[in-house]
Amino acid sequence: MAPTASGATEGTMDMPGMDMGSEEMSGMDMRPVDVTDAPVADSEARGNQPLEPTIAEDGTKEFELMAGVVRWNILPDVEIGAFAYNDQVSGPEIRVTQGDAVRIRFTNTLPEATSIHWHGLILPNEMDGASDVTQDPVEPGGTFVYEFTVEQAGTYFYHTHKSVDRQQALGLYGALISEPKVWATEKPFDQEYTLVLGEWKIDDQGQTLPAMNQAGAFPNFFTINGKSYPETETITATVGDRIRFRFVGSGQFIHPMHIHGGPFEIVETDGNLVPEGARLTKDTVLVGPGERYDVEWTALQPGRWLIHCHINDHVTNNGVEVEGGGGLTMIVEVTL
Amino acid sequence: MAPTASGATEGTMDMPGMDMGSEEMSGMDMRPVDVTDAPVADSEARGNQPLEPTIAEDGTKEFELMAGVVRWNILPDVEIGAFAYNDQVSGPEIRVTQGDAVRIRFTNTLPEATSIHWHGLILPNEMDGASDVTQDPVEPGGTFVYEFTVEQAGTYFYHTHKSVDRQQALGLYGALISEPKVWATEKPFDQEYTLVLGEWKIDDQGQTLPAMNQAGAFPNFFTINGKSYPETETITATVGDRIRFRFVGSGQFIHPMHIHGGPFEIVETDGNLVPEGARLTKDTVLVGPGERYDVEWTALQPGRWLIHCHINDHVTNNGVEVEGGGGLTMIVEVTL
Amino acid sequence: MAPTASGATEGTMDMPGMDMGSEEMSGMDMRPVDVTDAPVADSEARGNQPLEPTIAEDGTKEFELMAGVVRWNILPDVEIGAFAYNDQVSGPEIRVTQGDAVRIRFTNTLPEATSIHWHGLILPNEMDGASDVTQDPVEPGGTFVYEFTVEQAGTYFYHTHKSVDRQQALGLYGALISEPKVWATEKPFDQEYTLVLGEWKIDDQGQTLPAMNQAGAFPNFFTINGKSYPETETITATVGDRIRFRFVGSGQFIHPMHIHGGPFEIVETDGNLVPEGARLTKDTVLVGPGERYDVEWTALQPGRWLIHCHINDHVTNNGVEVEGGGGLTMIVEVTL
């Protein structure tokens, strides 16, 4: 008896453009993204940009999120078709202060139903965003208002919780940072940088398909905040600066993120402080899907120091190394 | 010179039903499971059921384990052919108290030789179960008696240690829990649940092949205690309950296990207590092959909270999402 | 628009001998290693052999490293074509004492440009070895002198930092151990063993291609210090001995390294001490690309105890189990 998935109503057996070999019976929805009518983002645009709230009378921070298809350049000559929040890959960074009440007005302009999960946050079940478990998915053209108080501090993220193997792989994720109240007076670092990790499967017609850990679906491009190296940001620092890097495991693959120029200290994971006596000093940390690692690194020597994934085909662009790297690579430029 | 494996006497070069592409020279034994004459388990049966011992005169706990082929439903309409202990996928849970002497009478009814390794336990070398290293494998129809004292407490597991890439992938594993003596009076949690993780490769004829991290062998179904969501168990709790989840990495893939509704505390790993000052609070933990993580989670809010792998194609059934998940998904239903 | 990699000048679109299925547009340089004119290493030779320095007048330890192609036996009947340092797979072990000034005279005899990165070490940027970022790559026939002081103690490694997805996968890595000064009088263990992990893709013509986490490029052989089990070393110990194992994640895959006969304690990672109160006792540790784990294990019982990767196809040779294992397997033989 050939298997079919129990109670399945979604998905498709037909996978245009894919040669799946022995995987041909899979129900994976590998249709390329249809970019007809999709807006084209500025080719220089970066993801993870701050999302400005409006402040309601009662102090609630109100954010607007819109899911839709966008044409987005991960490199000057490589355009993907992404599922994105606010036409941004990765989605805009929501930043709040611990204790803030937030209201997110969400609109779905995708051709399919979706919902938003607030990964790691403690909130009322009906705000958890798990389609078909805690809410009905938001149909195309529909809206939903998420409303909760952020009681925790730390690095979190939001992402689709509907048809996740397709929708999240196509870009529906973004960082959510909750700052401790005490940081209003002093932060324990000189600067910080959030790295939202993305994986992309682009076929030889330039179409975007969801990347997965399956034969025929492996990603061939990789991004930090929506850009592949050498288009990733270069950040600058001075010797002695302490920089917090927030790694967000927003994709489907584990990335051993490595830094040159000396090790970092792992200070938080999944938004939670690592107890002081338990902080590991490492130069490479496994960032798995769904995990976050906040590490702090002190600039010890001047020069150009790389941060990159240590799975070597993740630091290429479609298998090609460019200017000493690719994909999940970025540079910290340190001066005296 | 084409490679052959040094001294190889097992394995086959012929892989019916498989299109391995460039992997065609591999010696992987990818024959589908022959279910002719195999018993059919009750379609509602769950794995990881308690295995009752008999108590010998000297107090030794005696268990019976039998390895054989079984037809097993991971979903109402998906039947696999598994290599199983006591016709159960995953195998029955052996539960002892630290310090217990145990005797396991093992019978092999499989069509091939096998042995049982007691993963993580300190025991005499001749009881370690490593075929061709510490013992001769048990031939079809043969028996072996494993006998040792369980000096450790914690979450362990047992599994085949012969032709492991085939036999373990086909289901030969089960949990072994050793409770500390002090728990006789009080446990540090209100309830507990063991999650034995499984991966399955079912082809389009409905045949079961060993899942591996190789092109053409990727799993397309995933199970917790032998069932794929939505057939996984839903457990119930009351707000304030502290639940221990025991994750057992019994497969071939790393699973980032994530929980909704607030983070958990990692209290033990591989059967060993995490020092109190070193316990991480996380919402996602990488559970690798051979690893165990015991985490404790407090039910903070009423509602239906998901536990799931965060590799998104591992929460589908053959690539299809059903009722908000699939495969490595389960629900904790919390009431006030 | 079909993607090309931005600014790409390296790589090739042509992949002789490979059937990449839907990956056919990739720029991955999958050419098999050309072993014409390559020296043939002694078939019994092991990798990770001590590299003797010469001591300069000012006390600087001078090492010679040469990158080149070598024909190397990972098994008696399996010869690979590797990119190697000093004709050794893995490269020779460089061992220094914390505080040593070192000078490495490097010569490139490969048919392509390369450079050496000193993974994890704090050093001047121009000595970091990142091609096209901190230095021009060393062309075929060229030389480069790396010169720095090793201020840190611990387990490090060196590897190519040019065309890494090809060059490192083909063998350009080796261990670098820096001993704390205090060890001159006493070491905290009785013996130690370094395990440098390798992955190999050998096709059915016996050609070696770079192994990657991509369909068509998965490795089918695995090595510890350049040998597959049963050719890996068996080490001997006496009950009560404390052995430090240094796992070096020098490949492209995460390996859950497991030990039989009782758990180990994780004492260092990436060269850094784990704080005493934070040391985990485990029997399986995920060793990711770029990571190092130093674990200490006490021999508790006499017998033959296995150390192996728990991804089961990584303990086969081309899919075949031999003498109870394969690939990433080795034995500790413990006597009373």
mmCIF file with all atom_site columns, all heavy atoms in Angstrom, chain A residues 229-240:
data_model
loop_
_atom_site.group_PDB
_atom_site.id
_atom_site.type_symbol
_atom_site.label_atom_id
_atom_site.label_alt_id
_atom_site.label_comp_id
_atom_site.label_asym_id
_atom_site.label_entity_id
_atom_site.label_seq_id
_atom_site.pdbx_PDB_ins_code
_atom_site.Cartn_x
_atom_site.Cartn_y
_atom_site.Cartn_z
_atom_site.occupancy
_atom_site.B_iso_or_equiv
_atom_site.pdbx_formal_charge
_atom_site.auth_seq_id
_atom_site.auth_comp_id
_atom_site.auth_asym_id
_atom_site.auth_atom_id
_atom_site.pdbx_PDB_model_num
ATOM 1  N N   . TYR A 1 229 ? 27.044 36.968 1.445  1.00 0.00 ? 229 TYR A N   1
ATOM 2  C CA  . TYR A 1 229 ? 28.361 37.586 1.323  1.00 0.00 ? 229 TYR A CA  1
ATOM 3  C C   . TYR A 1 229 ? 28.777 37.565 -0.142 1.00 0.00 ? 229 TYR A C   1
ATOM 4  O O   . TYR A 1 229 ? 28.534 36.567 -0.804 1.00 0.00 ? 229 TYR A O   1
ATOM 5  C CB  . TYR A 1 229 ? 29.373 36.814 2.168  1.00 0.00 ? 229 TYR A CB  1
ATOM 6  C CG  . TYR A 1 229 ? 30.793 37.340 2.099  1.00 0.00 ? 229 TYR A CG  1
ATOM 7  C CD1 . TYR A 1 229 ? 31.211 38.348 2.948  1.00 0.00 ? 229 TYR A CD1 1
ATOM 8  C CD2 . TYR A 1 229 ? 31.700 36.821 1.172  1.00 0.00 ? 229 TYR A CD2 1
ATOM 9  C CE1 . TYR A 1 229 ? 32.512 38.831 2.894  1.00 0.00 ? 229 TYR A CE1 1
ATOM 10 C CE2 . TYR A 1 229 ? 33.004 37.302 1.109  1.00 0.00 ? 229 TYR A CE2 1
ATOM 11 C CZ  . TYR A 1 229 ? 33.402 38.303 1.972  1.00 0.00 ? 229 TYR A CZ  1
ATOM 12 O OH  . TYR A 1 229 ? 34.679 38.785 1.916  1.00 0.00 ? 229 TYR A OH  1
ATOM 13 N N   . PRO A 1 230 ? 29.395 38.569 -0.708 1.00 0.00 ? 230 PRO A N   1
ATOM 14 C CA  . PRO A 1 230 ? 29.942 39.751 -0.024 1.00 0.00 ? 230 PRO A CA  1
ATOM 15 C C   . PRO A 1 230 ? 28.952 40.889 0.191  1.00 0.00 ? 230 PRO A C   1
ATOM 16 O O   . PRO A 1 230 ? 29.384 41.979 0.568  1.00 0.00 ? 230 PRO A O   1
ATOM 17 C CB  . PRO A 1 230 ? 31.076 40.179 -0.961 1.00 0.00 ? 230 PRO A CB  1
ATOM 18 C CG  . PRO A 1 230 ? 30.649 39.719 -2.305 1.00 0.00 ? 230 PRO A CG  1
ATOM 19 C CD  . PRO A 1 230 ? 29.839 38.473 -2.096 1.00 0.00 ? 230 PRO A CD  1
ATOM 20 N N   . GLU A 1 231 ? 27.653 40.645 -0.002 1.00 0.00 ? 231 GLU A N   1
ATOM 21 C CA  . GLU A 1 231 ? 26.669 41.714 0.206  1.00 0.00 ? 231 GLU A CA  1
ATOM 22 C C   . GLU A 1 231 ? 26.206 41.814 1.655  1.00 0.00 ? 231 GLU A C   1
ATOM 23 O O   . GLU A 1 231 ? 25.424 42.708 1.991  1.00 0.00 ? 231 GLU A O   1
ATOM 24 C CB  . GLU A 1 231 ? 25.467 41.508 -0.719 1.00 0.00 ? 231 GLU A CB  1
ATOM 25 C CG  . GLU A 1 231 ? 25.804 41.640 -2.199 1.00 0.00 ? 231 GLU A CG  1
ATOM 26 C CD  . GLU A 1 231 ? 26.407 43.001 -2.534 1.00 0.00 ? 231 GLU A CD  1
ATOM 27 O OE1 . GLU A 1 231 ? 25.827 44.025 -2.139 1.00 0.00 ? 231 GLU A OE1 1
ATOM 28 O OE2 . GLU A 1 231 ? 27.480 43.022 -3.180 1.00 0.00 ? 231 GLU A OE2 1
ATOM 29 N N   . THR A 1 232 ? 26.651 40.890 2.518  1.00 0.00 ? 232 THR A N   1
ATOM 30 C CA  . THR A 1 232 ? 26.315 41.031 3.941  1.00 0.00 ? 232 THR A CA  1
ATOM 31 C C   . THR A 1 232 ? 26.982 42.282 4.489  1.00 0.00 ? 232 THR A C   1
ATOM 32 O O   . THR A 1 232 ? 27.940 42.798 3.913  1.00 0.00 ? 232 THR A O   1
ATOM 33 C CB  . THR A 1 232 ? 26.816 39.804 4.734  1.00 0.00 ? 232 THR A CB  1
ATOM 34 O OG1 . THR A 1 232 ? 28.194 39.586 4.418  1.00 0.00 ? 232 THR A OG1 1
ATOM 35 C CG2 . THR A 1 232 ? 26.021 38.558 4.373  1.00 0.00 ? 232 THR A CG2 1
ATOM 36 N N   . GLU A 1 233 ? 26.459 42.755 5.622  1.00 0.00 ? 233 GLU A N   1
ATOM 37 C CA  . GLU A 1 233 ? 27.027 43.969 6.208  1.00 0.00 ? 233 GLU A CA  1
ATOM 38 C C   . GLU A 1 233 ? 28.419 43.725 6.778  1.00 0.00 ? 233 GLU A C   1
ATOM 39 O O   . GLU A 1 233 ? 28.683 42.667 7.344  1.00 0.00 ? 233 GLU A O   1
ATOM 40 C CB  . GLU A 1 233 ? 26.128 44.472 7.344  1.00 0.00 ? 233 GLU A CB  1
ATOM 41 C CG  . GLU A 1 233 ? 25.031 45.383 6.857  1.00 0.00 ? 233 GLU A CG  1
ATOM 42 C CD  . GLU A 1 233 ? 24.258 46.019 7.991  1.00 0.00 ? 233 GLU A CD  1
ATOM 43 O OE1 . GLU A 1 233 ? 23.386 45.328 8.556  1.00 0.00 ? 233 GLU A OE1 1
ATOM 44 O OE2 . GLU A 1 233 ? 24.513 47.194 8.300  1.00 0.00 ? 233 GLU A OE2 1
ATOM 45 N N   . THR A 1 234 ? 29.284 44.720 6.629  1.00 0.00 ? 234 THR A N   1
ATOM 46 C CA  . THR A 1 234 ? 30.543 44.741 7.371  1.00 0.00 ? 234 THR A CA  1
ATOM 47 C C   . THR A 1 234 ? 30.330 45.684 8.538  1.00 0.00 ? 234 THR A C   1
ATOM 48 O O   . THR A 1 234 ? 29.895 46.824 8.346  1.00 0.00 ? 234 THR A O   1
ATOM 49 C CB  . THR A 1 234 ? 31.690 45.246 6.477  1.00 0.00 ? 234 THR A CB  1
ATOM 50 O OG1 . THR A 1 234 ? 31.933 44.266 5.464  1.00 0.00 ? 234 THR A OG1 1
ATOM 51 C CG2 . THR A 1 234 ? 32.965 45.452 7.286  1.00 0.00 ? 234 THR A CG2 1
ATOM 52 N N   . ILE A 1 235 ? 30.573 45.199 9.741  1.00 0.00 ? 235 ILE A N   1
ATOM 53 C CA  . ILE A 1 235 ? 30.408 46.097 10.875 1.00 0.00 ? 235 ILE A CA  1
ATOM 54 C C   . ILE A 1 235 ? 31.782 46.544 11.350 1.00 0.00 ? 235 ILE A C   1
ATOM 55 O O   . ILE A 1 235 ? 32.789 45.867 11.132 1.00 0.00 ? 235 ILE A O   1
ATOM 56 C CB  . ILE A 1 235 ? 29.580 45.480 12.018 1.00 0.00 ? 235 ILE A CB  1
ATOM 57 C CG1 . ILE A 1 235 ? 30.254 44.254 12.609 1.00 0.00 ? 235 ILE A CG1 1
ATOM 58 C CG2 . ILE A 1 235 ? 28.181 45.129 11.529 1.00 0.00 ? 235 ILE A CG2 1
ATOM 59 C CD1 . ILE A 1 235 ? 29.512 43.722 13.822 1.00 0.00 ? 235 ILE A CD1 1
ATOM 60 N N   . THR A 1 236 ? 31.813 47.726 11.959 1.00 0.00 ? 236 THR A N   1
ATOM 61 C CA  . THR A 1 236 ? 33.089 48.303 12.364 1.00 0.00 ? 236 THR A CA  1
ATOM 62 C C   . THR A 1 236 ? 33.143 48.411 13.879 1.00 0.00 ? 236 THR A C   1
ATOM 63 O O   . THR A 1 236 ? 32.123 48.591 14.542 1.00 0.00 ? 236 THR A O   1
ATOM 64 C CB  . THR A 1 236 ? 33.289 49.696 11.748 1.00 0.00 ? 236 THR A CB  1
ATOM 65 O OG1 . THR A 1 236 ? 32.172 50.512 12.118 1.00 0.00 ? 236 THR A OG1 1
ATOM 66 C CG2 . THR A 1 236 ? 33.365 49.611 10.233 1.00 0.00 ? 236 THR A CG2 1
ATOM 67 N N   . ALA A 1 237 ? 34.344 48.266 14.411 1.00 0.00 ? 237 ALA A N   1
ATOM 68 C CA  . ALA A 1 237 ? 34.532 48.321 15.856 1.00 0.00 ? 237 ALA A CA  1
ATOM 69 C C   . ALA A 1 237 ? 35.934 48.824 16.147 1.00 0.00 ? 237 ALA A C   1
ATOM 70 O O   . ALA A 1 237 ? 36.780 48.916 15.246 1.00 0.00 ? 237 ALA A O   1
ATOM 71 C CB  . ALA A 1 237 ? 34.334 46.942 16.471 1.00 0.00 ? 237 ALA A CB  1
ATOM 72 N N   . THR A 1 238 ? 36.151 49.150 17.403 1.00 0.00 ? 238 THR A N   1
ATOM 73 C CA  . THR A 1 238 ? 37.455 49.608 17.865 1.00 0.00 ? 238 THR A CA  1
ATOM 74 C C   . THR A 1 238 ? 38.014 48.551 18.805 1.00 0.00 ? 238 THR A C   1
ATOM 75 O O   . THR A 1 238 ? 37.241 47.887 19.507 1.00 0.00 ? 238 THR A O   1
ATOM 76 C CB  . THR A 1 238 ? 37.286 50.941 18.623 1.00 0.00 ? 238 THR A CB  1
ATOM 77 O OG1 . THR A 1 238 ? 36.614 51.861 17.762 1.00 0.00 ? 238 THR A OG1 1
ATOM 78 C CG2 . THR A 1 238 ? 38.624 51.529 19.029 1.00 0.00 ? 238 THR A CG2 1
ATOM 79 N N   . VAL A 1 239 ? 39.322 48.387 18.799 1.00 0.00 ? 239 VAL A N   1
ATOM 80 C CA  . VAL A 1 239 ? 39.933 47.416 19.712 1.00 0.00 ? 239 VAL A CA  1
ATOM 81 C C   . VAL A 1 239 ? 39.433 47.680 21.134 1.00 0.00 ? 239 VAL A C   1
ATOM 82 O O   . VAL A 1 239 ? 39.415 48.825 21.591 1.00 0.00 ? 239 VAL A O   1
ATOM 83 C CB  . VAL A 1 239 ? 41.478 47.498 19.650 1.00 0.00 ? 239 VAL A CB  1
ATOM 84 C CG1 . VAL A 1 239 ? 42.117 46.721 20.802 1.00 0.00 ? 239 VAL A CG1 1
ATOM 85 C CG2 . VAL A 1 239 ? 41.981 46.949 18.316 1.00 0.00 ? 239 VAL A CG2 1
ATOM 86 N N   . GLY A 1 240 ? 38.999 46.645 21.787 1.00 0.00 ? 240 GLY A N   1
ATOM 87 C CA  . GLY A 1 240 ? 38.462 46.778 23.135 1.00 0.00 ? 240 GLY A CA  1
ATOM 88 C C   . GLY A 1 240 ? 36.947 46.742 23.178 1.00 0.00 ? 240 GLY A C   1
ATOM 89 O O   . GLY A 1 240 ? 36.360 46.478 24.232 1.00 0.00 ? 240 GLY A O   1
#
